Amino acid sequence: MQVTKVTAGFQNQTAERKLFTDEELQREFDYYMAQKLLEKLREADQISEGELDKITAKNRQSFSPYLARIMP
């Protein structure tokens, strides 16, 4: 186990903030809702796991969610 000591200098560091436009927020919300619908379809066995993955990839292209580049 590694222990890191937090010092006063470390506390002053801040991460760069991303300010979202209304359009970007709407795309994030639309992507989230589309994914929730897909999850419900998968739970009801209306689509397969492979179809879920394919549709998710297309949704990421269509909606361009901010965190898509780090999503599995």
Side-chain angles (χ1 to χ4, degrees):
M1 181 165 133
Q2 184 177 9
V3 177
T4 303
K5 182 178 179 180
V6 178
T7 63
F10 181 79
Q11 291 173 346
N12 290 334
Q13 295 177 354
T14 57
E16 184 177 323
R17 288 186 155 192
K18 165 78 170 128
L19 299 177
F20 290 94
T21 64
D22 288 343
E23 182 181 332
E24 289 172 323
L25 286 174
Q26 186 64 53
R27 281 198 317 258
E28 293 289 325
F29 177 76
D30 292 344
Y31 174 78
Y32 175 79
M33 295 305 291
Q35 287 305 114
K36 283 298 189 186
L37 177 60
L38 280 177
E39 290 171 15
K40 292 207 180 277
L41 288 171
R42 179 64 195 118
E43 289 171 7
D45 285 329
Q46 297 294 313
I47 60 173
S48 69
E49 192 69 33
E51 291 169 320
L52 173 76
D53 293 340
K54 288 178 184 178
I55 298 169
T56 295
K58 291 221 179 253
N59 282 345
R60 288 183 186 157
Q61 290 174 348
S62 299
F63 297 112
S64 300
Y66 180 67
L67 298 177
R69 60 181 174 258
I70 64 168
M71 293 176 183

